[in-house]
Amino acid sequence: IQNLNLTAFPNLVLLDLYGMGLTGSFPTEVTTLKSLTYLYLTHNHLHGSIPVQLGNLTQLVDLSLYNNSLTGSIPSTLGQLENLRYLLLSFNRLEGTIPIELGNLTKLTTFYLSNNSLTGSIPSTLGQLENLQKAKINKKGKIQKKPRSIKRQNTEKAKINIKGKHRKSPIVQNN
């Protein structure tokens, strides 16, 4: 991907490089593609941190960085991706806490963070995600269980997988 001049495609909407054997650091050129709606860099060998500038791609609907070797923390700027439906960051080497800003992703339906080295609590702001249907936040790290106080505006249940215990549960929110 380092040899591909992504800036030559300023109106690119879909970038799908799933399983292409990509190596090296995250291609920062991607962050210049303001029309990008779907970004799939899943099942590669990318390393380094997720660029904070990724939060400027406000047209993104799907962001899949699943199964790479990405390190560092999850940028809080991802909370600016107001159109995001899918955020797949599982099977990397991400550390730190889950940013509270991810609670701004009100259109999010699928949220996978499992198999990273995340620590801390699940932010209560995730309780605002009324459209969330699937979330996996488990293994490796030391994520504390969801807060005791649980509320949900609608009656749908979401599949939550925390600490390897699969169960149906309403999304969390502290009062």
Side-chain angles (χ1 to χ4, degrees):
I1 197 166
Q2 278 69 17
N3 295 330
L4 182 61
N5 181 8
L6 292 174
T7 58
F9 307 100
N11 297 317
L12 191 67
V13 174
L14 168 67
L15 180 59
D16 185 354
L17 298 173
Y18 179 98
M20 297 295 292
L22 302 176
T23 60
S25 59
F26 190 96
T28 56
E29 299 82 15
V30 169
T31 64
T32 66
L33 303 172
K34 300 298 180 196
S35 298
L36 198 61
T37 307
Y38 305 96
L39 176 58
Y40 305 105
L41 297 177
T42 301
H43 291 287
N44 284 292
H45 306 284
L46 298 174
H47 59 79
S49 60
I50 300 171
V52 295
Q53 299 90 339
L54 206 54
N56 296 330
L57 299 180
T58 57
Q59 299 304 309
L60 273 180
V61 171
D62 292 5
L63 175 57
S64 182
L65 306 177
Y66 192 95
N67 199 15
N68 280 285
S69 294
L70 297 170
T71 57
S73 60
I74 300 169
S76 61
T77 56
L78 295 185
Q80 299 170 178
L81 302 175
E82 60 187 35
N83 293 308
L84 207 61
R85 292 179 307 156
Y86 299 100
L87 179 57
L88 309 178
L89 301 176
S90 292
F91 294 95
N92 280 289
R93 297 178 182 157
L94 299 171
E95 300 174 332
T97 60
I98 301 170
I100 60 172
E101 291 83 359
L102 297 185
N104 297 332
L105 304 176
T106 57
K107 295 181 182 176
L108 200 64
T109 62
T110 305
F111 181 49
Y112 290 175
L113 291 179
S114 62
N115 290 70
N116 282 293
S117 296
L118 299 170
T119 58
S121 299
I122 298 172
S124 61
T125 57
L126 296 185
Q128 300 169 17
L129 303 179
E130 295 181 16
N131 293 312
L132 192 62
Q133 297 172 11
K134 297 178 187 175
K136 290 186 181 181
I137 307 170
N138 67 344
K139 296 186 182 176
K140 278 193 183 178
K142 296 180 180 176
I143 295 288
Q144 297 173 11
K145 289 188 177 183
K146 57 187 175 181
R148 272 190 273 154
S149 177
I150 297 174
K151 275 199 171 182
R152 179 98 189 226
Q153 296 300 325
N154 60 30
T155 58
E156 290 182 34
K157 301 282 184 182
K159 287 186 177 182
I160 304 294
N161 190 343
I162 301 171
K163 290 190 151 188
K165 294 180 181 179
H166 188 74
R167 61 182 168 264
K168 286 191 174 193
S169 173
I171 304 306
V172 304
Q173 183 174 4
N174 279 339
N175 287 334

